[in-house]
Amino acid sequence: MANAPSARLAAADPRVLALAAQVTESPEQDIPLLLLKLKGILNSASLGCEESKKIKQDIYDYDLTQYCMLVLRQDHSRLRGGWATAAQLAEILSHCCVGLEVKGDPEEFYKKFLPSAVDNLLVLGRRLQARFIRALKDEEKQDFLRWFQTVTDAICWLFGGHIQLAACVLQNDHFLQLLITDDVETAITMMSVLHNILRVNSSVLLQVDEETLHSVLDELVYKLSSTTNPVIGNAATKLLLLVAKCCKQLWYHMLLLSLLGLKGLLSKQWTGKGFDRDLSQLLVLLCLEQQHQAACIIQAMWRGFQTRKRLKKLPQAVTTLQRSFRAKRQQELQYLKKQKEDEALKLQMQLQRQRAMRLFHERQLALLEIIHASQVNKYMEEMEGKSALTIQRFWRGYRARRNFHQQKQSLKEYKAAVVIQRAACKFLEKRRRRRLLSPWKDPKGLTDEQRLALQQKVDDYIKLHPASQMSEEMSKELHMQAQEKLAQFLLRSRLDQRAAQRREALLAQVNTDVELLMSAPGLAKTTEKDLDVFMSRSIPVATKARQSHNTMLKYTRWPWWKKLGDEFMEDDVIPDDALNAELGTLFIGGRKSF
């Protein structure tokens, strides 16, 4: 660094200093090969010692790590060294960042540099994965797979040294796109990366949003339902068990609901493949979740019954609910309209600022062409003075407005406190006066004469209205009749309940079969796979998971001209029309889940 003190330059490692000078003076195409010398410098000191920390600090101070991160963004197919150099630079960058204790500006290192390094490593991994899939020769595929594994190891090493980066990796869009692949080798590698993330930071699932976790779980479920490779099945099963263990408080039921329809497929397809122990644990969790869902359905039915009962007693409740719903919907529509207007106004203001800046620069260039060369410096000093006065004027105005708003808020709070104190004082004064004017009086009791007169009236009424007497035989006969009617009622209600349950089950089966028949091919095109659809209850679930996976994969592969409007959308949101065109509803156990 050019502005570093002379004492710090003298204390710096001479190899790092010489390499920084060479990188600065060399052309751009030679920089990647020069940066490979950092590996020898890092290996010269043992890991974790003071000398290693000093070397990493010097590398960071002389911006060599910045050079490495910038080189990773380039297209290495056109640079010297190719993709092998890129993989080695990724490993060097991760080793330089782990164990580094920045003293100058740690906030910039932890909040800007490290997330940017993770993003660059994931982008490099996507490029290597794409070239590995497109490669035709076995030798090229092996090379690209080895480089891809080197980059993923560098990512694991980086978030292993900085635990807070685990959430950054999991929420990155490039990580999800790396995981969504049909290639076996790279899919196994990415699942191992996900396993390392959960092992390093078990609470990372509580830090990510629900939609990201849904996408990861859907991809793991798809891999279980679509592949027959035992390695992928074993890795996906272990990951699902680890996710259930790590997030049982918040996302436990969401995980098991994603797998609830695949219980039959798991037990049929993956039994005897070498990981029966993990598979049995997952099936036990699914059984427990089925019981939980049954209890939830019973509770929901009971709450629905209670609610309907209350609504019958409150005829105005429906009108009130409709009024509140319309008001809330109107508020939401107004909020969306206002948000769109704000975005349009912001865009218009940005365009106006750009147009004004362009006109200002054009005017300045025209004036500089008119002014004599000897008067240019004087003109520039005048313009700088005017600009400084303008900036100061705007700053003073902003500061005055801010102080005014602060004082206005303080005055408003003071007036509110005075009003509350006045009301409290009035209330206390009224209660004190009421106690003085109206003291408490005990109620009068009955005298002995009144009590005797009341007892005489009770006795006279009992004599005039004697209670009816029933013999013991009549009581027993009446009791037997009541028992017989109760037994007949219980038997009839049990039979009716069984018949109702059977009707519901048949209706659910008919709904599922109708949906399958609607999407089934003609008899001339029917195959054995189509017959398995009507013989298994878990294949429709796998079909819907495959459709969801294909839809998300198709969206990630859209060309750039179809995503021109996505800059105003969130990064991890897929348009509703793209999903609704491919996905429908799914019948599981006779009920429709969305």
Side-chain angles (χ1 to χ4, degrees), residues 364-402:
Q364 273 195 335
L365 291 175
L367 290 174
L368 289 176
E369 291 177 357
I370 297 172
I371 297 174
H372 193 268
S374 60
Q375 300 295 325
V376 172
N377 293 332
K378 183 178 179 181
Y379 173 74
M380 294 302 294
E381 290 178 357
E382 292 178 358
M383 293 301 295
E384 289 178 357
K386 291 181 180 179
S387 302
L389 291 176
T390 303
I391 294 172
Q392 291 174 0
R393 183 169 65 253
F394 276 97
W395 166 249
R396 293 191 188 98
Y398 166 73
R399 186 174 58 185
R401 287 190 298 272
R402 185 183 61 184

Side-chain angles (χ1 to χ4, degrees), residues 221 224-226 261-271 279 283 536-539 541-543 546:
V221 171
L224 275 176
S225 62
S226 62
L262 296 177
K263 181 180 177 182
L265 184 63
L266 291 176
S267 59
K268 180 179 179 181
Q269 182 174 345
W270 295 109
T271 303
L279 186 62
L283 292 175
S536 174
R537 295 291 108 190
S538 59
I539 290 180
V541 182
T543 304
R546 187 179 299 105

Side-chain angles (χ1 to χ4, degrees), residues 145-161:
L145 181 60
R146 185 175 67 255
W147 298 332
F148 177 76
Q149 291 174 351
T150 302
V151 174
T152 55
D153 292 341
I155 296 172
C156 294
W157 180 262
L158 187 58
F159 66 71

Side-chain angles (χ1 to χ4, degrees), residues 5 7 21 78 134 177 183 191 251 295 317 332 349 352 362 393 407 423 434 465 468 509-510 536 541 562:
R78 302 178 181 179
R134 291 198 303 264
Q177 291 171 0
D183 182 69
M191 284 193 289
W251 306 116
E332 291 178 353
M349 292 177 63
Q352 290 178 357
E362 291 177 357
R393 183 169 65 253
Q407 294 175 0
R434 190 182 298 113
H465 303 84
S468 61
Q509 184 177 0
V510 168
S536 174
V541 182
K562 282 191 176 182

Side-chain angles (χ1 to χ4, degrees), residues 262-288:
L262 296 177
K263 181 180 177 182
L265 184 63
L266 291 176
S267 59
K268 180 179 179 181
Q269 182 174 345
W270 295 109
T271 303
K273 295 298 179 68
F275 52 96
D276 292 343
R277 182 178 179 181
D278 297 333
L279 186 62
S280 61
Q281 293 180 5
L282 188 60
L283 292 175
V284 168
L285 291 177
L286 292 178
C287 292
L288 293 176

Side-chain angles (χ1 to χ4, degrees), residues 354-370:
Q354 292 178 357
R355 191 180 298 110
M357 186 65 69
R358 184 170 61 252
L359 293 175
F360 174 73
H361 287 305
E362 291 177 357
R363 195 180 301 113
Q364 273 195 335
L365 291 175
L367 290 174
L368 289 176
E369 291 177 357
I370 297 172

